[in-house]
Amino acid sequence: IQSMKEHNAGENLIDNNKPVSTSTTAKPLAGIKFKAYPLDESGNKIKHSDAIIQKYRTDYASRSSAATGEKLTSTSVNTIMSRFKKDGAGYIYYDMGVATDTTGTLTISSLFQGKWSIEEVADTTKVASTALPTVIELPITNVSNQSEWLYRAHIYPKNEDIHIVKDIQHLGNNHHTADIYEPFSWIVTTDVPDDIYKCSKTLHDSDNTKISWAGYSQFTIIDDLDMNIKYKGTTKVCVVTGSTSDTTVGTEKNLTYGTDYTIAVTDGKGTQNSKITWSITESGRQKLSPVLLKQKGVKLRIYFESVIRNTIGESVLGKPLKNKAKLEFTNSSGVKGTRESDIPEVHTTGIKIYKL
C-alpha cells in the first residue's frame, strides 16, 4: 500500500484528516510513481491543449502560497506548469516527479480544487498490477464536521503482486521420491489479479465518475521440466476460490480446454528439457476474474503428470531433479512481466528400477 498525502497548494491546509492504520499484512512499497489526471465535471479526463495550459497557468498565477500567504512567483508557476504533460492518448496529467519513499508515502502538492484521478505508473519489476485509479475531489468534507472543508487528504491506493507456487504430489510438498516411469503429479498455483479481465464501473462515492481497466492480454504458465522428466499430460486446470493459504485446497472449478486455455508441449529429448505452456484465453480470464466472481484471493491451479525417463544417466541416479514454473503476463497497462515459482525436487533411487 502506498499512502499519498494530497493537498492544494493554493489554500491553507487543515491537517486534521489523519492517516489511518492499514492491514497488518500490507507492506509499504518504495519507488512507486503516480500521475494525477484532472477530470471535468462529468468525471472524464481532459485533452491536453494550448488553451487548457493557458487556463491553468492563469489560475495558478492568481493563487497564493499555502506556506507564505503571498502570491505565487512566476518561477513557482513555471515549475508547477512544467509538470503538466500529455500522455500517449492525448490527455493532460500532472507528473509528481518523485516516487514513494521507504514508508510507501508520496506527497502530491499543487493540485487545484476539483476532481482528480490518481493513477499508478506501471512497473512490473515491483508489482504485477497497478493500483486501480483513485478518484478524489478537492476539497473534501470533514466527516467529523460536515461544515468544514479539508484541503489535505490521505488516500491509500492498493496494488497487488502475483505469487506463484509449484508443489509435487500435494499442496505444500516440495520433495518426492519416484522410481523410473512411476507417475507423479506437479501442482502449479498462482494468484489471480483483480484486473485480469476488462471492466468498467461507476464509483459508489462519486456521481457519474467511472473507473475502468483494459484487463490482462496475456496470462501464461510455462514449465521447463528437467530433461530426465517426461510430461505425461494435464489432469486439470481450475479456478480456485476460498483458499486461504498455499496449502489449502479451497473450492476448485475446472476450466475448459480449448475454450478457456490452450496447451503447447515441446517434448524434450536427449539434453533438452520438455516445455509445457498453458495459455489462459480471454474466456478463461473472464472466468478467473475476482471482480466478476465477487471473491477475494482467487487462484489459478494446474495439475499435471510426469515420469522419470528410462534414459536417465547413472550419474544422476539418487540426485534431486529440480524444477520451477514461470508466469508470463501482459497487464492492464500493457506492460509485460514475469514471476517465478519456488523449486521443488523429485528424487530418484540409487539404482535403475523399472516399474512397468
Side-chain angles (χ1 to χ4, degrees):
I1 292 180
Q2 304 84 41
S3 87
M4 302 188 297
K5 307 181 187 72
E6 274 188 63
H7 65 83
N8 181 343
E11 303 287 346
N12 292 327
L13 303 182
I14 303 174
D15 192 16
N16 59 356
N17 184 29
K18 302 295 184 183
V20 299
S21 297
T22 56
S23 168
T24 55
T25 61
K27 295 180 180 179
L29 293 176
I32 303 296
K33 295 181 179 180
F34 289 83
K35 298 177 180 179
Y37 285 87
L39 305 177
D40 62 21
E41 289 300 319
S42 298
N44 300 311
K45 291 181 179 178
I46 298 168
K47 286 289 187 178
H48 187 286
S49 67
D50 291 341
I52 200 69
I53 288 294
Q54 185 55 48
K55 178 180 182 298
Y56 291 173
R57 181 177 292 277
T58 300
D59 182 61
Y60 278 108
S62 67
R63 290 175 177 268
S64 300
S65 166
T68 66
E70 298 178 355
K71 288 272 188 165
L72 293 174
T73 65
S74 59
T75 300
S76 296
V77 172
N78 288 337
T79 299
I80 294 171
M81 292 308 301
S82 69
R83 297 199 177 282
F84 281 99
K85 299 176 181 179
K86 180 168 65 173
D87 71 6
Y91 294 108
I92 190 169
Y93 71 92
Y94 183 82
D95 183 0
M96 288 41 156
V98 294
T100 53
D101 61 21
T102 54
T103 68
T105 302
L106 171 63
T107 299
I108 310 170
S109 59
S110 303
L111 301 185
F112 50 76
Q113 294 182 26
K115 290 182 180 180
W116 293 85
S117 177
I118 312 301
E119 302 185 11
E120 184 178 342
V121 178
D123 183 355
T124 56
T125 64
K126 293 183 173 65
V127 287
S129 290
T130 56
L132 298 181
T134 300
V135 176
I136 187 170
E137 186 166 6
L138 295 173
I140 62 175
T141 304
N142 186 350
V143 293
S144 301
N145 183 357
Q146 295 294 315
S147 64
E148 182 180 29
W149 292 105
L150 300 177
Y151 297 92
R152 169 174 289 177
H154 300 275
I155 63 176
Y156 299 86
K158 179 184 178 183
N159 53 24
E160 56 188 334
D161 205 0
I162 299 176
H163 182 52
I164 178 171
V165 178
K166 186 175 182 181
D167 299 310
I168 185 167
Q169 287 295 92
H170 59 81
L171 295 179
N173 183 47
N174 276 356
H175 299 275
H176 180 65
T177 300
D179 293 327
I180 292 172
Y181 250 69
E182 178 184 4
F184 55 93
S185 302
W186 299 97
I187 309 167
V188 180
T189 306
T190 180
D191 299 331
V192 176
D194 286 345
D195 59 339
I196 192 171
Y197 187 70
K198 60 188 176 183
C199 182
S200 177
K201 65 178 182 178
T202 301
L203 294 176
H204 296 297
D205 56 354
S206 183
D207 41 31
N208 59 353
T209 300
K210 291 185 177 182
I211 59 172
S212 63
W213 54 90
Y216 279 47
S217 58
Q218 177 197 14
F219 203 77
T220 303
I221 305 295
I222 299 171
D223 203 314
D224 283 306
L225 289 175
D226 183 281
M227 65 181 182
N228 293 297
I229 299 176
K230 181 178 178 62
Y231 169 75
K232 295 295 287 183
T234 296
T235 308
K236 61 181 176 179
V237 177
C238 49
V239 184
V240 181
T241 55
S243 174
T244 56
S245 71
D246 291 338
T247 58
T248 55
V249 177
T251 301
E252 298 179 341
K253 183 176 181 180
N254 289 349
L255 294 176
T256 303
Y257 172 71
T259 300
D260 301 325
Y261 66 95
T262 60
I263 304 174
V265 180
T266 302
D267 188 12
K269 294 180 180 180
T271 60
Q272 294 181 334
N273 291 0
S274 291
K275 180 179 180 181
I276 309 97
T277 303
W278 296 267
S279 299
I280 309 302
T281 65
E282 183 175 8
S283 171
R285 297 193 295 271
Q286 181 178 13
K287 292 176 182 177
L288 285 165
S289 170
V291 174
L292 297 180
L293 290 171
K294 297 181 179 179
Q295 295 270 357
K296 288 293 184 183
V298 177
K299 301 178 186 295
L300 168 70
R301 185 171 293 150
I302 298 171
Y303 294 82
F304 69 98
E305 298 290 315
S306 65
V307 295
I308 297 175
R309 295 180 185 272
N310 59 13
T311 55
I312 187 171
E314 296 286 347
S315 63
V316 183
L317 291 176
K319 296 181 180 179
L321 304 177
K322 300 181 179 182
N323 276 104
K324 64 181 175 181
K326 178 173 67 173
L327 168 68
E328 293 186 351
F329 59 85
T330 303
N331 68 17
S332 284
S333 301
V335 179
K336 295 181 179 294
T338 61
R339 295 293 183 270
E340 293 186 345
S341 74
D342 54 337
I343 307 176
E345 305 172 350
V346 59
H347 303 261
T348 63
T349 55
I351 57 174
K352 280 193 174 183
I353 299 176
Y354 295 87
K355 185 170 183 178
L356 303 176

mmCIF file of all heavy atoms in Angstrom, residues 251-281:
data_model
loop_
_atom_site.group_PDB
_atom_site.id
_atom_site.type_symbol
_atom_site.label_atom_id
_atom_site.label_comp_id
_atom_site.label_asym_id
_atom_site.label_seq_id
_atom_site.Cartn_x
_atom_site.Cartn_y
_atom_site.Cartn_z
ATOM 1 N N THR A 251 -12.129 -24.300 -3.052
ATOM 2 C CA THR A 251 -13.115 -24.864 -3.975
ATOM 3 C C THR A 251 -12.602 -24.733 -5.398
ATOM 4 O O THR A 251 -12.300 -23.623 -5.852
ATOM 5 C CB THR A 251 -14.471 -24.129 -3.847
ATOM 6 O OG1 THR A 251 -14.942 -24.244 -2.501
ATOM 7 C CG2 THR A 251 -15.497 -24.715 -4.798
ATOM 8 N N GLU A 252 -12.481 -25.853 -6.091
ATOM 9 C CA GLU A 252 -11.936 -25.865 -7.440
ATOM 10 C C GLU A 252 -13.044 -26.056 -8.473
ATOM 11 O O GLU A 252 -13.937 -26.888 -8.297
ATOM 12 C CB GLU A 252 -10.907 -26.988 -7.595
ATOM 13 C CG GLU A 252 -9.699 -26.838 -6.683
ATOM 14 C CD GLU A 252 -8.702 -27.969 -6.837
ATOM 15 O OE1 GLU A 252 -9.082 -29.039 -7.370
ATOM 16 O OE2 GLU A 252 -7.536 -27.789 -6.418
ATOM 17 N N LYS A 253 -12.980 -25.273 -9.525
ATOM 18 C CA LYS A 253 -13.924 -25.406 -10.638
ATOM 19 C C LYS A 253 -13.122 -25.476 -11.928
ATOM 20 O O LYS A 253 -12.354 -24.563 -12.243
ATOM 21 C CB LYS A 253 -14.890 -24.219 -10.672
ATOM 22 C CG LYS A 253 -15.948 -24.344 -11.764
ATOM 23 C CD LYS A 253 -16.951 -23.200 -11.701
ATOM 24 C CE LYS A 253 -18.019 -23.358 -12.787
ATOM 25 N NZ LYS A 253 -19.013 -22.248 -12.742
ATOM 26 N N ASN A 254 -13.292 -26.557 -12.667
ATOM 27 C CA ASN A 254 -12.481 -26.791 -13.850
ATOM 28 C C ASN A 254 -12.750 -25.791 -14.964
ATOM 29 O O ASN A 254 -13.909 -25.441 -15.242
ATOM 30 C CB ASN A 254 -12.729 -28.202 -14.395
ATOM 31 C CG ASN A 254 -12.153 -29.271 -13.498
ATOM 32 O OD1 ASN A 254 -11.389 -28.987 -12.578
ATOM 33 N ND2 ASN A 254 -12.512 -30.523 -13.757
ATOM 34 N N LEU A 255 -11.670 -25.342 -15.601
ATOM 35 C CA LEU A 255 -11.777 -24.577 -16.836
ATOM 36 C C LEU A 255 -11.817 -25.562 -18.003
ATOM 37 O O LEU A 255 -11.417 -26.720 -17.874
ATOM 38 C CB LEU A 255 -10.582 -23.630 -16.980
ATOM 39 C CG LEU A 255 -10.487 -22.506 -15.946
ATOM 40 C CD1 LEU A 255 -9.204 -21.697 -16.159
ATOM 41 C CD2 LEU A 255 -11.705 -21.596 -16.016
ATOM 42 N N THR A 256 -12.291 -25.091 -19.158
ATOM 43 C CA THR A 256 -12.486 -25.954 -20.319
ATOM 44 C C THR A 256 -11.330 -25.822 -21.296
ATOM 45 O O THR A 256 -11.027 -24.715 -21.764
ATOM 46 C CB THR A 256 -13.806 -25.609 -21.038
ATOM 47 O OG1 THR A 256 -14.892 -25.724 -20.113
ATOM 48 C CG2 THR A 256 -14.047 -26.544 -22.213
ATOM 49 N N TYR A 257 -10.708 -26.977 -21.602
ATOM 50 C CA TYR A 257 -9.606 -26.982 -22.563
ATOM 51 C C TYR A 257 -10.111 -26.540 -23.932
ATOM 52 O O TYR A 257 -11.171 -26.940 -24.396
ATOM 53 C CB TYR A 257 -8.997 -28.380 -22.664
ATOM 54 C CG TYR A 257 -7.979 -28.509 -23.780
ATOM 55 C CD1 TYR A 257 -6.740 -27.893 -23.674
ATOM 56 C CD2 TYR A 257 -8.270 -29.224 -24.939
ATOM 57 C CE1 TYR A 257 -5.798 -27.991 -24.699
ATOM 58 C CE2 TYR A 257 -7.346 -29.324 -25.964
ATOM 59 C CZ TYR A 257 -6.109 -28.702 -25.843
ATOM 60 O OH TYR A 257 -5.196 -28.790 -26.859
ATOM 61 N N GLY A 258 -9.328 -25.690 -24.608
ATOM 62 C CA GLY A 258 -9.683 -25.206 -25.936
ATOM 63 C C GLY A 258 -10.520 -23.951 -25.907
ATOM 64 O O GLY A 258 -10.476 -23.150 -26.844
ATOM 65 N N THR A 259 -11.318 -23.779 -24.841
ATOM 66 C CA THR A 259 -12.141 -22.568 -24.697
ATOM 67 C C THR A 259 -11.508 -21.592 -23.721
ATOM 68 O O THR A 259 -11.363 -20.400 -24.023
ATOM 69 C CB THR A 259 -13.553 -22.934 -24.201
ATOM 70 O OG1 THR A 259 -14.166 -23.816 -25.141
ATOM 71 C CG2 THR A 259 -14.414 -21.675 -24.041
ATOM 72 N N ASP A 260 -11.117 -22.111 -22.559
ATOM 73 C CA ASP A 260 -10.576 -21.258 -21.507
ATOM 74 C C ASP A 260 -9.045 -21.269 -21.452
ATOM 75 O O ASP A 260 -8.445 -20.365 -20.886
ATOM 76 C CB ASP A 260 -11.121 -21.694 -20.148
ATOM 77 C CG ASP A 260 -12.638 -21.639 -20.099
ATOM 78 O OD1 ASP A 260 -13.203 -20.728 -20.727
ATOM 79 O OD2 ASP A 260 -13.248 -22.507 -19.446
ATOM 80 N N TYR A 261 -8.457 -22.296 -22.025
ATOM 81 C CA TYR A 261 -6.993 -22.363 -22.042
ATOM 82 C C TYR A 261 -6.527 -23.291 -23.163
ATOM 83 O O TYR A 261 -7.287 -24.144 -23.642
ATOM 84 C CB TYR A 261 -6.428 -22.856 -20.701
ATOM 85 C CG TYR A 261 -6.775 -24.293 -20.355
ATOM 86 C CD1 TYR A 261 -5.887 -25.334 -20.667
ATOM 87 C CD2 TYR A 261 -7.963 -24.617 -19.718
ATOM 88 C CE1 TYR A 261 -6.194 -26.654 -20.348
ATOM 89 C CE2 TYR A 261 -8.280 -25.930 -19.392
ATOM 90 C CZ TYR A 261 -7.388 -26.949 -19.718
ATOM 91 O OH TYR A 261 -7.699 -28.244 -19.400
ATOM 92 N N THR A 262 -5.288 -23.099 -23.586
ATOM 93 C CA THR A 262 -4.666 -23.978 -24.566
ATOM 94 C C THR A 262 -3.365 -24.515 -23.978
ATOM 95 O O THR A 262 -2.823 -23.939 -23.034
ATOM 96 C CB THR A 262 -4.368 -23.236 -25.888
ATOM 97 O OG1 THR A 262 -3.466 -22.148 -25.624
ATOM 98 C CG2 THR A 262 -5.652 -22.693 -26.511
ATOM 99 N N ILE A 263 -2.894 -25.624 -24.543
ATOM 100 C CA ILE A 263 -1.643 -26.229 -24.087
ATOM 101 C C ILE A 263 -0.726 -26.449 -25.279
ATOM 102 O O ILE A 263 -1.152 -26.973 -26.308
ATOM 103 C CB ILE A 263 -1.885 -27.586 -23.385
ATOM 104 C CG1 ILE A 263 -2.869 -27.434 -22.217
ATOM 105 C CG2 ILE A 263 -0.568 -28.169 -22.879
ATOM 106 C CD1 ILE A 263 -3.250 -28.755 -21.580
ATOM 107 N N ALA A 264 0.522 -26.035 -25.135
ATOM 108 C CA ALA A 264 1.540 -26.310 -26.144
ATOM 109 C C ALA A 264 2.667 -27.089 -25.470
ATOM 110 O O ALA A 264 3.134 -26.701 -24.394
ATOM 111 C CB ALA A 264 2.065 -25.014 -26.744
ATOM 112 N N VAL A 265 3.082 -28.186 -26.092
ATOM 113 C CA VAL A 265 4.094 -29.056 -25.491
ATOM 114 C C VAL A 265 5.249 -29.273 -26.456
ATOM 115 O O VAL A 265 5.039 -29.591 -27.629
ATOM 116 C CB VAL A 265 3.493 -30.426 -25.111
ATOM 117 C CG1 VAL A 265 4.570 -31.318 -24.484
ATOM 118 C CG2 VAL A 265 2.322 -30.252 -24.148
ATOM 119 N N THR A 266 6.449 -29.054 -25.953
ATOM 120 C CA THR A 266 7.659 -29.438 -26.674
ATOM 121 C C THR A 266 8.312 -30.560 -25.883
ATOM 122 O O THR A 266 8.784 -30.349 -24.765
ATOM 123 C CB THR A 266 8.637 -28.247 -26.799
ATOM 124 O OG1 THR A 266 7.992 -27.174 -27.470
ATOM 125 C CG2 THR A 266 9.874 -28.659 -27.583
ATOM 126 N N ASP A 267 8.296 -31.772 -26.462
ATOM 127 C CA ASP A 267 8.811 -32.931 -25.741
ATOM 128 C C ASP A 267 10.318 -33.003 -25.923
ATOM 129 O O ASP A 267 10.815 -33.323 -26.998
ATOM 130 C CB ASP A 267 8.155 -34.210 -26.261
ATOM 131 C CG ASP A 267 8.501 -35.424 -25.413
ATOM 132 O OD1 ASP A 267 9.050 -35.219 -24.309
ATOM 133 O OD2 ASP A 267 8.233 -36.547 -25.849
ATOM 134 N N GLY A 268 11.045 -32.677 -24.859
ATOM 135 C CA GLY A 268 12.498 -32.671 -24.942
ATOM 136 C C GLY A 268 13.081 -34.056 -25.078
ATOM 137 O O GLY A 268 12.542 -35.024 -24.558
ATOM 138 N N LYS A 269 14.164 -34.154 -25.782
ATOM 139 C CA LYS A 269 14.851 -35.438 -25.950
ATOM 140 C C LYS A 269 16.342 -35.216 -25.779
ATOM 141 O O LYS A 269 16.859 -34.137 -26.081
ATOM 142 C CB LYS A 269 14.548 -36.032 -27.322
ATOM 143 C CG LYS A 269 13.090 -36.420 -27.517
ATOM 144 C CD LYS A 269 12.851 -37.006 -28.888
ATOM 145 C CE LYS A 269 11.383 -37.401 -29.063
ATOM 146 N NZ LYS A 269 11.123 -37.973 -30.403
ATOM 147 N N GLY A 270 17.035 -36.215 -25.315
ATOM 148 C CA GLY A 270 18.473 -36.088 -25.143
ATOM 149 C C GLY A 270 18.802 -35.101 -24.053
ATOM 150 O O GLY A 270 18.517 -35.336 -22.878
ATOM 151 N N THR A 271 19.392 -33.979 -24.411
ATOM 152 C CA THR A 271 19.795 -32.968 -23.428
ATOM 153 C C THR A 271 18.810 -31.813 -23.338
ATOM 154 O O THR A 271 19.087 -30.800 -22.705
ATOM 155 C CB THR A 271 21.186 -32.404 -23.795
ATOM 156 O OG1 THR A 271 21.117 -31.811 -25.104
ATOM 157 C CG2 THR A 271 22.237 -33.498 -23.773
ATOM 158 N N GLN A 272 17.648 -31.936 -23.987
ATOM 159 C CA GLN A 272 16.670 -30.849 -24.000
ATOM 160 C C GLN A 272 15.577 -31.073 -22.964
ATOM 161 O O GLN A 272 15.161 -32.207 -22.723
ATOM 162 C CB GLN A 272 16.046 -30.713 -25.391
ATOM 163 C CG GLN A 272 17.021 -30.282 -26.473
ATOM 164 C CD GLN A 272 16.338 -30.136 -27.813
ATOM 165 O OE1 GLN A 272 15.323 -30.776 -28.071
ATOM 166 N NE2 GLN A 272 16.877 -29.272 -28.657
ATOM 167 N N ASN A 273 15.115 -29.973 -22.367
ATOM 168 C CA ASN A 273 14.006 -30.036 -21.430
ATOM 169 C C ASN A 273 12.684 -30.135 -22.169
ATOM 170 O O ASN A 273 12.562 -29.679 -23.305
ATOM 171 C CB ASN A 273 13.987 -28.787 -20.544
ATOM 172 C CG ASN A 273 15.147 -28.730 -19.588
ATOM 173 O OD1 ASN A 273 15.985 -29.615 -19.569
ATOM 174 N ND2 ASN A 273 15.202 -27.686 -18.795
ATOM 175 N N SER A 274 11.690 -30.720 -21.523
ATOM 176 C CA SER A 274 10.322 -30.660 -22.037
ATOM 177 C C SER A 274 9.708 -29.338 -21.590
ATOM 178 O O SER A 274 9.828 -28.965 -20.415
ATOM 179 C CB SER A 274 9.492 -31.830 -21.505
ATOM 180 O OG SER A 274 9.923 -33.045 -22.048
ATOM 181 N N LYS A 275 9.069 -28.657 -22.492
ATOM 182 C CA LYS A 275 8.475 -27.353 -22.181
ATOM 183 C C LYS A 275 6.967 -27.431 -22.380
ATOM 184 O O LYS A 275 6.501 -27.784 -23.458
ATOM 185 C CB LYS A 275 9.074 -26.263 -23.082
ATOM 186 C CG LYS A 275 8.519 -24.875 -22.821
ATOM 187 C CD LYS A 275 9.198 -23.862 -23.737
ATOM 188 C CE LYS A 275 8.665 -22.460 -23.507
ATOM 189 N NZ LYS A 275 9.316 -21.476 -24.408
ATOM 190 N N ILE A 276 6.222 -27.095 -21.309
ATOM 191 C CA ILE A 276 4.762 -27.088 -21.379
ATOM 192 C C ILE A 276 4.279 -25.667 -21.141
ATOM 193 O O ILE A 276 4.711 -25.010 -20.188
ATOM 194 C CB ILE A 276 4.125 -28.030 -20.334
ATOM 195 C CG1 ILE A 276 4.768 -29.420 -20.419
ATOM 196 C CG2 ILE A 276 2.631 -28.148 -20.565
ATOM 197 C CD1 ILE A 276 5.848 -29.658 -19.425
ATOM 198 N N THR A 277 3.394 -25.198 -22.007
ATOM 199 C CA THR A 277 2.874 -23.832 -21.914
ATOM 200 C C THR A 277 1.356 -23.868 -21.851
ATOM 201 O O THR A 277 0.695 -24.361 -22.770
ATOM 202 C CB THR A 277 3.312 -22.990 -23.132
ATOM 203 O OG1 THR A 277 4.740 -22.996 -23.219
ATOM 204 C CG2 THR A 277 2.811 -21.552 -23.003
ATOM 205 N N TRP A 278 0.802 -23.363 -20.750
ATOM 206 C CA TRP A 278 -0.644 -23.226 -20.605
ATOM 207 C C TRP A 278 -1.002 -21.747 -20.789
ATOM 208 O O TRP A 278 -0.598 -20.902 -19.986
ATOM 209 C CB TRP A 278 -1.100 -23.674 -19.222
ATOM 210 C CG TRP A 278 -0.873 -25.122 -18.913
ATOM 211 C CD1 TRP A 278 -1.742 -26.160 -19.095
ATOM 212 C CD2 TRP A 278 0.303 -25.700 -18.307
ATOM 213 N NE1 TRP A 278 -1.182 -27.341 -18.658
ATOM 214 C CE2 TRP A 278 0.078 -27.088 -18.174
ATOM 215 C CE3 TRP A 278 1.521 -25.172 -17.882
ATOM 216 C CZ2 TRP A 278 1.014 -27.948 -17.632
ATOM 217 C CZ3 TRP A 278 2.471 -26.031 -17.340
ATOM 218 C CH2 TRP A 278 2.209 -27.399 -17.215
ATOM 219 N N SER A 279 -1.738 -21.434 -21.827
ATOM 220 C CA SER A 279 -2.125 -20.046 -22.115
ATOM 221 C C SER A 279 -3.601 -19.864 -21.788
ATOM 222 O O SER A 279 -4.465 -20.568 -22.340
ATOM 223 C CB SER A 279 -1.869 -19.710 -23.585
ATOM 224 O OG SER A 279 -0.493 -19.836 -23.896
ATOM 225 N N ILE A 280 -3.889 -18.925 -20.891
ATOM 226 C CA ILE A 280 -5.278 -18.663 -20.491
ATOM 227 C C ILE A 280 -5.897 -17.692 -21.491
ATOM 228 O O ILE A 280 -5.389 -16.596 -21.704
ATOM 229 C CB ILE A 280 -5.347 -18.087 -19.071
ATOM 230 C CG1 ILE A 280 -4.545 -18.979 -18.098
ATOM 231 C CG2 ILE A 280 -6.795 -17.957 -18.622
ATOM 232 C CD1 ILE A 280 -4.998 -20.419 -18.044
ATOM 233 N N THR A 281 -6.988 -18.093 -22.119
ATOM 234 C CA THR A 281 -7.650 -17.272 -23.131
ATOM 235 C C THR A 281 -8.479 -16.161 -22.476
ATOM 236 O O THR A 281 -8.609 -16.103 -21.256
ATOM 237 C CB THR A 281 -8.581 -18.130 -23.991
ATOM 238 O OG1 THR A 281 -9.641 -18.632 -23.146
ATOM 239 C CG2 THR A 281 -7.834 -19.310 -24.615
#
